[in-house]
Amino acid sequence: MTEPVSDTKSRQQTRKAAQSDRNNVQIAYKWIKSKILSGELKSGEQLPQASLAKQCNTSRGPIREALRLLQNEGLVIAETNQRGRVASFEARDLAQIVASVIVNAGFAIACHGGAWSPADVKRIEKLIDEHEALNTEIATTARERSDLARKRQAAYRKIVSATCPKKDGPIQQILANHFDRIAIFRQVTGVRIGASQEFPLNGNMEDLRQAVRERNASAAALAIVTRSATLGRAALAHIGKHQLGYEIDKAVAFIQNALESGTDAYMPRQIRTTPDQKVSVQFKGAET
């Protein structure tokens, strides 16, 4: 039976409309993202859909979907019953995130007590091998250096995750969110200042390898904390904010004191993972 011409045209029009909507979403997404990465839309700036739709010469629907995609990438923050706004990319935010990585990873590893299974040890050593191999690679062009730095950072992230206890889901999620955020900072910084930050870690991680083999949780925690601090300070120096390294230094000193006095005396109390995040730790009834 032949389909009515009107039905065929209706379906074709529907497909064309759907394709047009998808195209408009991608146009709006790329347009807003470019303005965020370039700094034209500044950290914390509100993103009114009506105004953006007018500037982008589209409707609010594509703008709303584009903002949702950007929120998934961590470039936009959307709170209940409030307008979306550009995520914060200030140097102090980066310093606080690195400090939180140090506190969370340091405590998670130290309190773990070195209870890595033989399979855990094997996996961590394999990840260390992969990381050390990446550190022997040489990049010549700016693009190659950027790609290599990204790979090295991803490899280090896997090492931290594997060294922390698998059963501690909340800590793993916090660290994942932090590393995602650091990756976004790298992307934004690379676009805004036109330079890619090198990954400033020596390829040799024998201290961590040995600590894991010996099930020495304190030594492993210190190895991760020290390297994370090195990364954080280098990132701040790269954007001309090395003076904010004191935030990282405080976190390192806190973990070192905890390792010396015994982690049982400390209890993590409040961790906020928003861009204006703060970390407070309770020590025998007093907050630090």
Side-chain angles (χ1 to χ4, degrees):
M1 182 176 179
T2 304
E3 186 178 26
V5 174
S6 60
D7 291 346
T8 301
K9 288 184 176 179
S10 177
R11 278 204 301 275
Q12 289 175 343
Q13 290 172 351
T14 299
R15 285 197 295 269
K16 287 181 180 179
Q19 183 61 44
S20 177
D21 286 343
R22 286 193 291 271
N23 290 340
N24 287 337
V25 168
Q26 284 302 307
I27 291 171
Y29 162 79
K30 292 178 181 178
W31 179 74
I32 298 172
K33 183 174 183 177
S34 68
K35 289 185 175 295
I36 292 174
L37 293 178
S38 68
E40 187 173 344
L41 287 173
K42 303 188 182 302
S43 298
E45 185 172 341
Q46 290 192 342
L47 300 168
Q49 293 180 17
S51 175
L52 292 173
K54 184 176 181 180
Q55 294 178 58
C56 194
N57 194 28
T58 187
S59 63
R60 293 181 63 171
I63 294 294
R64 182 166 52 251
E65 182 63 18
L67 291 177
R68 186 187 67 79
L69 293 174
L70 292 167
Q71 182 182 357
N72 291 340
E73 292 185 7
L75 293 172
V76 168
I77 293 174
E79 299 174 352
T80 306
N81 299 325
Q82 293 186 15
R83 284 179 175 173
R85 57 187 173 88
V86 179
S88 181
F89 301 108
E90 302 300 326
R92 186 174 296 278
D93 299 322
L94 178 58
Q96 290 176 344
I97 287 172
V98 174
S100 184
V101 168
I102 289 169
V103 170
N104 281 286
F107 266 108
I109 297 169
C111 294
H112 181 231
W116 297 289
S117 69
D120 292 334
V121 174
K122 186 175 180 179
R123 171 169 165 71
I124 294 170
E125 289 200 78
K126 180 181 178 182
L127 291 172
I128 290 175
D129 289 340
E130 293 173 356
H131 186 279
E132 291 178 344
L134 284 171
N135 275 277
T136 64
E137 293 187 15
I138 299 175
T140 54
T141 68
R143 178 62 179 272
E144 289 174 346
R145 286 193 295 271
S146 178
D147 288 344
L148 185 55
R150 177 177 51 78
K151 290 178 182 178
R152 288 171 176 169
Q153 187 176 40
Y156 179 68
R157 172 178 181 166
K158 290 179 181 179
I159 291 172
V160 175
S161 178
T163 309
C164 289
K166 294 178 181 178
K167 65 180 181 180
D168 198 339
I171 291 294
Q172 289 282 358
Q173 186 59 56
I174 288 169
L175 292 175
N177 290 341
H178 286 347
F179 278 113
D180 285 344
R181 191 76 181 148
I182 290 170
I184 294 170
F185 267 98
R186 174 182 289 277
Q187 181 186 18
V188 171
T189 301
V191 172
R192 291 185 180 178
I193 70 176
S196 176
Q197 177 198 342
E198 296 291 343
F199 193 80
L201 286 186
N202 186 293
N204 187 298
M205 301 184 79
E206 191 59 31
D207 56 341
L208 178 60
R209 188 194 301 272
Q210 193 63 31
V212 173
R213 282 176 178 172
E214 297 175 354
R215 309 304 200 272
N216 188 332
S218 293
L222 191 58
I224 291 293
V225 163
T226 301
R227 284 176 171 80
S228 298
T230 298
L231 279 173
R233 294 190 194 100
L236 292 172
H238 182 65
I239 57 179
K241 298 292 183 180
H242 63 276
Q243 67 274 16
L244 291 175
Y246 75 90
E247 297 265 11
I248 296 172
D249 294 340
K250 287 195 301 182
V252 172
F254 181 78
I255 290 297
Q256 288 175 332
N257 289 335
L259 293 175
E260 291 174 1
S261 61
T263 54
D264 290 343
Y266 292 82
M267 179 182 65
R269 178 172 177 180
Q270 177 187 356
I271 301 169
R272 296 170 55 193
T273 58
T274 55
D276 58 345
Q277 147 196 350
K278 296 180 180 178
V279 179
S280 69
V281 180
Q282 185 175 358
F283 172 57
K284 293 183 179 179
E287 286 192 12
T288 301

